Amino acid sequence: MQNNLAVVASTDNNIYCVNAKTGKLVWKYETQKPIVANPVIKNNTVFIGAADGHFRALDLKSGKLIWDYVGIKGFVVTTPLFYENKIYFGSWGTEFYCLDAASGKLVWKWNNGSPNKMYSPAACFPVATKGKVFIVAPDRYMTVFDANTGKVIWRKRDPKYRVRESMGLSKDSSLVYAKTMEGELIGVSTSLPDMQITWKVDPGLNYEIAPTAIVQHKNIIYVPSNSGVVVAVKRDGSILWKHKISNCLITNIKPVSDHKVIATTMDGKVTCLKF
C-alpha cells in the first residue's frame, strides 16, 4: 500500500487498486491468466508478476501500463524485490530474473542448471544488501549473486542445514535468516565470503517446508511454519512466544506495531495477535 491506495491481485485474472479508507475501486487491470503473486509498490509504480508469462509495471494512480516484460518461463508466485532501481524475482520455470525498474529491460537471468521445475527459485522471497542478492530455493542451496551482474558470488548446500525457501534479512543487514527443514532458524553472515552460520535458534517447529518470508520488526523475528504456528524470537536467541492460529501453512506475517502482528493462513484466515 502507498498513498492510501492498496493493490491486490486475484485469480479472476485482474489486478485491483482500492482506496484503503473507503474500499472503493480506483482501477483494475486485466491479465490473461489467474494471478497468485503479490505486488511491490515503489515510487508510485506497481511491480507485479503473473501466470501469463508477463511481469508488469503499472502506474499506481491510474493503473496504466508503464512497461511489460514478456517471456517469463513458468509463473510468478511471490513478492518481487526492489533493490537499487532493479526488480528481482523467480518463477516456476527454473529461472531467476533481474529487470531494470525504469524500463523493464532484462539485466540478467540465472538458473541452477537443473531441468526439474520443482527446484525452481520461485517460492522464495529474495533479500539484498551490500550489492548482493540472496536466495534459497527447494534445491536446498543458498545462492548469492552480484546484484548488478548476476555473477554467482557463492552457492552452497550444507547437509547439516537443509535450507529451503523461507528466509529474511535482519534489520541491521548483517544476517540473512533462513529456516531449515528441521525447523531451525539460522543466521548467515552477509559479509563473509561463504555460507558462515553465525547465529542459530531452535524454535521447536520440527519438520518444516513453509516458504513464507521471515520478518524482523525492532528486536523481534517472526518465524512462519507449515503447521499454522507463528513464533516470535528475540535477537538474543530467546523464544518470546509461540501461537498456533490454524492447522494450515502461514502465508504471510505483517508486524503492524511493537506489540501487534497480523498473520494469514492458507485456509483463508486473517488473524491479529496482540502481546
Side-chain angles (χ1 to χ4, degrees):
M1 187 173 73
Q2 186 174 298
N3 299 333
N4 203 40
L5 298 176
V7 180
V8 294
S10 171
T11 54
D12 67 0
N13 299 15
N14 287 295
I15 302 165
Y16 294 90
C17 177
V18 298
N19 184 293
K21 289 185 177 180
T22 65
K24 290 184 177 180
L25 180 68
V26 179
W27 53 261
K28 71 175 181 178
Y29 184 95
E30 186 175 2
T31 68
Q32 299 170 30
K33 289 185 178 180
I35 309 166
V36 291
N38 293 312
V40 65
I41 303 174
K42 293 289 182 180
N43 305 322
N44 291 309
T45 302
V46 179
F47 300 95
I48 185 168
D52 57 5
H54 294 246
F55 192 99
R56 300 173 174 89
L58 307 173
D59 180 79
L60 176 61
K61 294 181 180 179
S62 67
K64 291 183 178 180
L65 184 69
I66 298 173
W67 54 254
D68 184 0
Y69 176 77
V70 182
I72 296 172
K73 291 175 61 180
F75 59 98
V76 181
V77 295
T78 57
T79 307
L81 168 69
F82 183 97
Y83 178 68
E84 294 185 345
N85 298 312
K86 296 181 181 66
I87 295 289
Y88 302 86
F89 61 95
S91 79
W92 281 113
T94 73
E95 294 185 331
F96 187 77
Y97 299 83
C98 171
L99 305 181
D100 180 83
S103 66
K105 292 182 178 180
L106 179 69
V107 179
W108 56 263
K109 66 179 178 179
W110 172 89
N111 70 70
N112 63 12
S114 172
N116 190 340
K117 292 184 179 181
M118 297 304 293
Y119 291 155
S120 297
C124 62
F125 295 79
V127 298
T129 184
K130 303 169 186 174
K132 296 179 283 190
V133 175
F134 297 74
I135 66 168
V136 176
D139 61 5
R140 302 171 194 174
Y141 280 86
M142 179 174 284
T143 307
V144 183
F145 306 97
D146 181 291
N148 291 317
T149 67
K151 180 182 178 181
V152 175
I153 297 172
W154 59 260
R155 173 171 163 79
K156 187 172 182 179
R157 179 177 180 175
D158 188 336
K160 293 182 181 179
Y161 300 101
R162 298 190 300 165
V163 293
R164 176 173 169 165
E165 300 160 309
S166 184
M167 60 185 297
L169 185 67
S170 66
K171 277 294 180 183
D172 62 5
S173 298
S174 66
L175 295 176
V176 170
Y177 298 123
K179 182 154 52 69
T180 71
M181 293 178 66
E182 287 69 37
E184 291 181 305
L185 179 64
I186 60 173
V188 178
S189 171
T190 58
S191 300
L192 298 177
D194 200 350
M195 186 176 173
Q196 298 295 320
I197 297 165
T198 59
W199 185 87
K200 183 172 69 171
V201 177
D202 186 357
L205 293 174
N206 301 316
Y207 180 71
E208 256 303 312
I209 57 173
T212 309
I214 298 163
V215 182
Q216 181 175 350
H217 176 76
K218 297 290 181 69
N219 195 40
I220 302 175
I221 305 147
Y222 297 96
V223 186
S225 73
N226 55 222
S227 58
V229 175
V230 178
V231 184
V233 180
K234 288 187 176 181
R235 189 63 171 81
D236 64 9
S238 60
I239 307 297
L240 183 62
W241 52 261
K242 294 171 67 174
H243 190 84
K244 187 175 180 66
I245 59 177
S246 171
N247 290 319
C248 296
L249 181 147
I250 303 291
T251 56
N252 194 24
I253 299 174
K254 179 67 176 179
V256 292
S257 73
D258 291 352
H259 302 284
K260 190 180 292 184
V261 62
I262 293 174
T264 58
T265 48
M266 192 165 279
D267 55 2
K269 290 181 180 178
V270 180
T271 304
C272 180
L273 302 176
K274 186 178 180 181
F275 57 95

